[in-house]
Amino acid sequence: MDWISDEFLISLIVGFNYFVLFYFAFTNTVYLILLSVSAKVALNQLFRSRYAGYQEIASSPLTPPVSILVPANNEKLTIVDTVESLLDLDYPIHEVIVINDGSTDETLETLIQHFRLRKVDLIYRPITPTTPVKGFYTSPEFPNLMVIDKPKSGKPDSLNVGINACRSPYFCTVDADTVLEKDALLKLIKPILEYPEEVVSCGGIVRVMDGCTVEHGRVTKIELPKKSILMFQVVEYLRAFLFGRTGWSALNCLLILSGAFSLFKKKIVQEVGGYSLQTVTEDFELIVRLHRHMKEKKEKYKILFIPEPVSWTQVPNRYVMLARQRRRWQRGLATVLISNIRMFFNPKYGRIGLFAMPYTFFIELLGPVVELLGYVAIPLAYYFKILNVEMFWLFLLLALLYGIFLSIGAIFLEEITYRRYPRWTSVLRLMLYGIFENLGYRQLNAWWRLQALFQLVFRKDSWERATRRRFRVSSSTQKEDKN
Amino acid sequence: MDLESILKSAILASISILLLIVFGITIRRILRGIYFSRLDRERERLKKKINMFLEGKVPINSTELKFPEKSIQWQALEDLLLKARESASNQNKMRITKLLEKLGYPTFYQRMLKSGNRWQRSLAADKLGRIGSESSTRHLLEALRDPEIEVRSVALRSLGRIPDPKAFPLLMTWLPRITTEEEGVFASTLKNTLIKLGESVVPAILSKMDECDEEMQALLIECLGEIGTPKASQALIRKLTHPNPEIRAKAARALGKIGDPSAIPSLLESGSDPVWFVRLQVCRALGRMGNGKIIDFLCQRLTDENWQVRAAAAESLRQMGFPAFSALIKILMEGEDRYAREQIAEEMQRSGIVDELIDALEHPENEKAEMSKQFLSSLVKLKVTSLMRHASFFHPSEKVRAEIKKILNYLE
């Protein structure tokens, strides 16, 4: 082992340090660009919202019908609220299709009882192949609601069942623990009305519902949650959506739209074969496949994120659950990127192939690995007395400050645009958590992501499921329910 | 400059920016708080006066409501008047518009249409539409030449809100060249605007339609269908033989929406169009017209080679109600195409007609009760029994429950 000399190790560490410096500079430059682009887009949106003409869309006979697909597996506690909020949306023609994915907690029975549904014998055309359907339930009282019962086969398969069964040219996916604001769909359809040929998909913002009050499937009072794990996620969601996705969308490089609230052109999704059953992040996989398909067809298209339409969702409230969710996301990210590796640096796929995919691979996927190597390199550098301690502390401080700047920047964007948290205490708490999330929470996230990569390498990729909680309802609603 | 000083500068810059953001948020919150509380107070104060005005208690030339431009009172008054106008009766809408004219709002926004800022111009165009003053038509038409598509689009939408007959001929001169716009934004706004303008714009559309390119023709045909006037029928019937199938399909759809019976013979001829989506639109159109003569045609289409055409025909027959039921029963009982039969069964269940037929089992008119029995029996043959099984247990009428049990037992 003579070749592993001290000199070799030292040059390796020094080389790695330069690499980290470059990596840090590159990542943060991209973030800065994204933040600037997002700020511009958000402000444009804000100005536009003053004359958006949503009433025209609501009353126009030309607004296309939309089918809302809600896959549900053991969602008894939240499903009625979700469906009520969807049925009551401010949108001219829409149908709600709940796909019961083999629930064992009486989700189906709850729906049947609440909406007085009856089994009907409908024809099922599996244009995208799926597992067989057990039954269809409708009610003349709620003509735009249909529940499909099927054996458990996972969310992507359930969504494919919904796509096969829906009758509208566009479908919108909504998670069963998510409620939409009344005008959310109206706002989400706007880009499709403006560019009907080009827009193949668009998504709205997903905000954290925990802490808010929900009445009859509608968020009526917006407040921040009390638990720190939830607060961290509020800040994280604001950052991910308000400057991450807004920025990528403006650059036409958006690789992910949240399955919790996205709208798709049905024809194109059917052309690509629907949702893939081979991944745990089916929403991300579908968007990448749509990009690939459209680029290969050489057709002009848009996949957009717009921050105005709002959906509210529950997030994990225990670290064990959060860790599972993050590991699942990271494994999904890895499998999708690896299965589309031929798109990397391939000019045929334009900005997606040349920039977005490699960026996601090297920064989002391998970020935790670089971080881990950093934790190894620093003690080694110290051991070999090549660590400039002052420089190290300066660098660490800058990294922390930059992380805080990005979080606070997202809160600032929220504050100057949508301002959903009107209380002074809320904005103060958001800023505090914007600072604190960089001191432990972010590192914890990196650790979970790293674990996911290990799981992937060692094939321990079992599904890790979240548990549902009842929405927080106001006391008046609770009284009504009891009566 | 060495790395250390770069890092130090970057740290200082980060801290400064962070402090600036925090300071910015605080100042903005304070200023907005002050502004909105004042605005709310003014709105509250003016609300009573507006209500009095709407009830006719304050004369229209009242100087009490005259405030300096851009002042907080001016803003509050505008908010209240525009909001009241949205839900007001036509008479009050006109009164509010006149009041806004007297108070100088349209003139202010007409001036703003010439601003250098595109957001301001778009906002002005929107406000002019919401104010609804005919004096703004000329300005909005001029705004259609704005270099920004955003401004043009909002101006066009606002023209639809002001149904000013003077605007139509000028608007129509724009039609042939609107298609050259790259963005679809304008086209979709144009459609909505023309539909809002309604019947009065139809002669102008008809005179210009043939001069437009095919894309614009398709758009105008759609508008004619949504406006729904029989004045357009003849022009649309001619389009049923257009070489472009897209236009033929749109014309069939529009004719269905208009519902003019004089179009039925031409639509029946188009029922054998070589292109499937033209046939599909013909089926839907004939279904909407609800004429007894077309039942046979729709029944034939139930065996069309394309499933979407078959589905459209079944849906059309369902919409026609009882007159079509006997034909449907015949198909359900004797039809060879299982798919068509299933299609009818599906539509009947989803629409609640099966429930109606179940209830009709105890109909005082024997003929209808018998028809229901036949229909339900044919559904059992297709194994479409879920709703009947449910009713056999839960229907409130004992007689109906017994009848259904008989149908189920007898045929199974």
Side-chain angles (χ1 to χ4, degrees):
Chain A
M1 298 290 280
D2 289 345
W3 56 274
I4 312 182
S5 62
D6 283 2
E7 269 176 41
F8 176 76
L9 265 177
I10 288 167
S11 358
L12 200 67
I13 293 163
V14 171
F16 179 73
N17 285 346
Y18 279 110
F19 167 72
V20 167
L21 199 66
F22 168 75
Y23 190 85
F24 176 81
F26 174 73
T27 312
N28 289 315
T29 308
V30 174
Y31 284 154
L32 196 63
I33 292 168
L34 286 179
L35 188 62
S36 318
V37 172
S38 307
K40 188 173 179 286
V41 172
L43 286 171
N44 286 356
Q45 288 267 359
L46 186 72
F47 286 122
R48 272 200 193 110
S49 68
R50 294 160 76 187
Y51 51 82
Y54 293 123
Q55 275 317 306
E56 260 86 2
I57 299 176
S59 61
S60 170
L62 302 169
T63 305
V66 172
S67 298
I68 301 173
L69 309 183
V70 190
N73 174 250
N74 293 342
E75 310 282 358
K76 183 190 168 187
L77 293 178
T78 58
I79 194 71
V80 169
D81 272 335
T82 303
V83 173
E84 276 185 343
S85 92
L86 296 175
L87 288 173
D88 189 38
L89 283 179
D90 196 0
Y91 194 83
I93 307 171
H94 69 288
E95 63 173 347
V96 178
I97 300 177
V98 181
I99 308 104
N100 179 43
D101 184 28
S103 298
T104 51
D105 70 341
E106 297 177 339
T107 300
L108 180 65
E109 292 72 13
T110 309
L111 284 166
I112 289 174
Q113 200 181 2
H114 189 89
F115 295 102
R116 291 175 286 284
L117 303 170
R118 284 110 24 97
K119 192 172 183 183
V120 288
D121 305 287
L122 302 186
I123 309 157
Y124 178 65
R125 299 179 193 91
I127 293 170
T128 305
T130 63
T131 50
V133 166
K134 275 160 73 180
F136 296 90
Y137 296 81
T138 63
S139 162
E141 278 180 73
F142 300 92
N144 54 342
L145 170 66
M146 177 160 77
V147 175
I148 305 173
D149 186 31
K150 59 180 266 296
K152 184 163 168 50
S153 57
K155 188 176 168 185
D157 189 53
S158 303
L159 285 167
N160 286 338
V161 167
I163 297 168
N164 286 334
C166 76
R167 301 193 284 183
S168 312
Y170 293 94
F171 69 88
C172 176
T173 59
V174 175
D175 280 355
D177 59 345
T178 301
V179 296
L180 304 189
E181 290 199 348
K182 206 168 163 62
D183 57 0
L185 197 54
L186 217 49
K187 288 177 173 172
L188 196 59
I189 200 78
K190 195 158 192 268
I192 286 176
L193 294 176
E194 289 174 347
Y195 307 96
E197 297 303 320
E198 289 175 33
V199 179
V200 295
S201 176
C202 55
I205 191 167
V206 179
R207 288 172 180 269
V208 175
M209 192 204 298
D210 301 74
C212 299
T213 306
V214 180
E215 282 179 87
H216 303 298
R218 199 74 61 209
V219 171
T220 51
K221 194 174 176 191
I222 299 169
E223 275 178 305
L224 288 172
K226 289 193 171 59
K227 286 176 84 171
S228 58
I229 180 179
L230 299 169
M231 277 302 298
F232 287 135
Q233 288 175 87
V234 173
V235 176
E236 207 178 12
Y237 272 60
L238 283 179
R239 203 180 48 223
F241 282 93
L242 282 185
F243 97 71
R245 287 188 198 173
T246 310
W248 286 116
S249 171
L251 301 171
N252 209 6
C253 286
L254 193 64
L255 284 183
I256 184 159
L257 283 176
S258 170
F261 181 38
S262 298
L263 187 68
F264 295 89
K265 194 182 262 186
K266 180 172 139 183
K267 193 178 136 221
I268 305 287
V269 174
Q270 283 182 328
E271 261 177 41
V272 301
Y275 282 91
S276 162
L277 311 183
Q278 311 302 323
T279 174
V280 285
T281 47
E282 67 290 334
D283 38 11
F284 173 50
E285 196 278 341
L286 179 64
I287 297 295
V288 173
R289 201 146 35 91
L290 285 174
H291 275 299
R292 205 173 69 199
H293 177 74
M294 297 308 285
K295 291 279 184 197
E296 282 169 1
K297 271 176 75 183
K298 293 186 179 154
E299 281 184 16
K300 221 174 154 191
Y301 74 101
K302 286 176 196 284
I303 293 177
L304 300 171
F305 167 77
I306 36 174
E308 267 205 297
V310 177
S311 66
W312 297 87
T313 196
Q314 283 187 344
V315 294
N317 65 345
R318 287 188 296 136
Y319 281 99
V320 181
M321 306 308 298
L322 183 63
R324 284 181 189 174
Q325 184 196 55
R326 298 308 155 96
R327 283 195 291 261
R328 183 165 59 83
W329 287 359
Q330 185 75 353
R331 283 202 311 274
L333 182 76
T335 48
V336 173
L337 287 174
I338 291 164
S339 60
N340 287 287
I341 206 140
R342 68 190 162 109
M343 289 174 78
F344 285 40
F345 302 112
N346 188 338
K348 187 173 149 188
Y349 299 102
R351 289 180 206 180
I352 296 290
L354 292 174
F355 179 63
M357 295 286 278
Y359 171 87
T360 313
F361 184 83
F362 290 110
I363 307 297
E364 301 292 337
L365 187 72
L366 298 184
V369 180
V370 176
E371 204 165 330
L372 175 80
L373 289 175
Y375 296 135
V376 176
I378 289 162
L380 278 177
Y382 185 76
Y383 173 78
F384 288 112
K385 297 187 174 38
I386 52 166
L387 182 74
N388 180 334
V389 180
E390 193 189 352
M391 284 286 281
F392 165 72
W393 285 116
L394 280 175
F395 188 76
L396 192 67
L397 183 63
L398 181 64
L400 277 176
L401 279 171
Y402 201 82
I404 293 169
F405 164 68
L406 293 176
S407 305
I408 301 283
I411 295 163
F412 181 64
L413 270 187
E414 161 74 7
E415 186 61 22
I416 59 167
T417 52
Y418 310 106
R419 214 167 166 263
R420 293 287 164 143
Y421 303 99
R423 293 169 61 179
W424 275 97
T425 47
S426 301
V427 79
L428 275 174
R429 286 187 70 208
L430 279 175
M431 284 200 277
L432 279 178
Y433 278 91
I435 296 169
F436 291 141
E437 72 146 357
N438 291 281
L439 307 168
Y441 178 75
R442 221 182 58 185
Q443 289 73 13
L444 201 57
N445 252 300
W447 169 242
W448 292 328
R449 285 160 62 198
L450 195 67
Q451 276 184 326
L453 294 179
F454 279 118
Q455 281 181 343
L456 197 75
V457 173
F458 297 109
R459 298 263 161 215
K460 287 186 175 177
D461 49 352
S462 60
W463 176 267
E464 296 181 306
R465 217 192 111 70
T467 50
R468 292 280 172 256
R469 308 182 301 285
R470 192 181 284 277
F471 296 148
R472 181 182 151 189
V473 292
S474 75
S475 51
S476 61
T477 317
Q478 279 172 329
K479 273 178 205 164
E480 276 174 40
D481 288 348
K482 277 177 195 168
N483 293 337
Chain B
M1 209 177 190
D2 61 357
L3 190 60
E4 192 179 325
S5 41
I6 293 174
L7 283 177
K8 279 182 180 167
S9 314
I11 288 168
L12 271 175
S14 301
I15 293 172
S16 315
I17 293 171
L18 277 172
L19 288 174
L20 208 64
I21 290 176
V22 174
F23 182 70
I25 290 177
T26 314
I27 294 294
R28 193 169 184 274
R29 279 210 159 216
I30 292 170
L31 292 178
R32 281 176 69 96
I34 295 169
Y35 176 78
F36 282 109
S37 63
R38 279 188 64 197
L39 192 63
D40 284 344
R41 272 204 307 275
E42 288 302 332
R43 279 193 197 128
E44 207 50 49
R45 192 175 67 80
L46 288 167
K47 207 182 263 176
K48 285 176 201 161
K49 282 189 185 167
I50 300 292
N51 287 339
M52 281 164 73
F53 162 71
L54 290 173
E55 288 160 13
K57 290 175 190 166
V58 178
I60 200 151
N61 55 1
S62 170
T63 50
E64 272 181 84
L65 298 173
K66 189 86 183 163
F67 300 111
E69 275 179 10
K70 294 185 187 175
S71 67
I72 204 140
Q73 294 92 340
W74 197 77
Q75 181 62 54
L77 182 64
E78 183 197 292
D79 292 350
L80 289 171
L81 287 173
L82 290 184
K83 199 174 173 205
R85 195 179 178 278
E86 275 168 21
S87 52
S89 64
N90 279 344
Q91 197 193 347
N92 266 348
K93 262 191 183 135
M94 279 171 67
R95 291 186 67 217
I96 294 171
T97 300
K98 275 189 183 163
L99 178 62
L100 286 161
E101 279 171 356
K102 289 213 172 227
L103 296 171
Y105 285 92
T107 329
F108 173 77
Y109 286 115
Q110 285 158 13
R111 277 202 314 273
M112 204 202 261
L113 263 183
K114 292 187 171 53
S115 146
N117 180 321
R118 65 178 164 142
W119 307 117
Q120 296 281 325
R121 296 203 300 279
S122 303
L123 182 67
D126 181 66
K127 293 274 184 174
L128 289 173
R130 290 177 68 194
I131 292 169
S133 164
E134 285 188 9
S135 69
S136 305
T137 308
R138 187 172 54 84
H139 299 268
L140 288 168
L141 282 166
E142 272 171 27
L144 292 178
R145 291 196 187 92
D146 196 284
E148 291 291 337
I149 182 99
E150 183 107 12
V151 182
R152 294 202 297 275
S153 187
V154 181
L156 184 58
R157 195 177 72 207
S158 287
L159 279 169
R161 287 171 170 166
I162 311 170
D164 181 0
K166 293 198 297 291
F168 310 154
L170 281 165
L171 189 59
M172 290 306 138
T173 59
W174 278 78
L175 286 185
R177 62 198 185 103
I178 281 172
T179 45
T180 60
E181 295 286 352
E182 279 178 15
E183 296 90 341
V185 184
F186 212 61
S188 83
T189 317
L190 177 68
K191 264 192 266 183
N192 276 317
T193 303
L194 291 175
I195 293 164
K196 273 208 151 177
L197 289 170
E199 210 165 319
S200 47
V201 84
V202 171
I205 292 181
L206 293 177
S207 69
K208 276 277 167 190
M209 191 157 64
D210 290 338
E211 292 169 28
C212 300
D213 67 11
E214 288 185 352
E215 202 180 332
M216 180 53 73
Q217 280 191 42
L219 186 150
L220 293 176
I221 289 169
E222 242 183 285
C223 294
L224 289 171
E226 294 297 338
I227 294 168
T229 170
K231 280 182 208 162
S233 297
Q234 286 313 309
L236 291 170
I237 289 170
R238 280 199 301 278
K239 295 288 174 198
L240 285 174
T241 52
H242 195 280
N244 183 340
E246 190 78 36
I247 292 199
R248 296 204 296 275
K250 292 239 161 137
R253 189 167 187 263
L255 283 166
K257 291 212 163 182
I258 292 170
D260 182 356
S262 72
I264 292 176
S266 310
L267 281 168
L268 288 171
E269 267 178 46
S270 296
S272 48
D273 195 288
V275 179
W276 72 269
F277 59 81
V278 180
R279 297 200 300 276
L280 175 123
Q281 292 302 342
V282 168
C283 287
R284 287 184 179 160
L286 290 169
R288 277 198 197 98
M289 291 182 171
N291 187 305
K293 286 179 198 167
I294 56 182
I295 290 174
D296 286 345
F297 165 80
L298 289 172
C299 289
Q300 279 168 25
R301 289 275 75 87
L302 286 172
T303 51
D304 194 285
E305 61 192 25
N306 186 289
W307 74 264
Q308 281 152 301
V309 178
R310 295 200 293 264
E315 167 66 15
S316 298
L317 285 163
R318 183 193 67 74
Q319 282 176 9
M320 292 167 70
F322 261 92
F325 285 1
S326 52
L328 290 174
I329 290 170
K330 204 174 162 200
I331 299 167
L332 280 178
M333 298 185 77
E334 298 165 16
E336 286 174 13
D337 184 344
R338 184 176 172 86
Y339 196 92
R341 286 184 285 151
E342 284 175 347
Q343 188 64 50
I344 296 169
E346 174 171 336
E347 295 301 339
M348 297 293 147
Q349 291 174 88
R350 288 183 82 130
S351 58
I353 284 192
V354 172
D355 296 294
E356 279 177 39
L357 289 165
I358 288 172
D359 292 340
L361 285 172
E362 56 174 356
H363 201 284
E365 289 173 38
N366 261 347
E367 198 188 334
K368 284 195 172 164
E370 197 50 42
M371 192 190 267
S372 301
K373 210 181 283 180
Q374 278 186 31
F375 193 95
L376 295 170
S377 306
S378 49
L379 286 180
V380 176
K381 276 187 182 170
L382 281 172
K383 295 184 181 163
V384 177
T385 56
S386 291
L387 282 175
M388 279 182 267
R389 283 182 198 283
H390 185 269
S392 70
F393 289 106
F394 301 109
H395 198 278
S397 158
E398 199 178 316
K399 188 184 169 192
V400 170
R401 290 202 301 271
E403 283 290 342
I404 293 173
K405 276 177 189 158
K406 247 192 261 173
I407 294 169
L408 290 168
N409 290 336
Y410 176 71
L411 286 155
E412 278 184 315

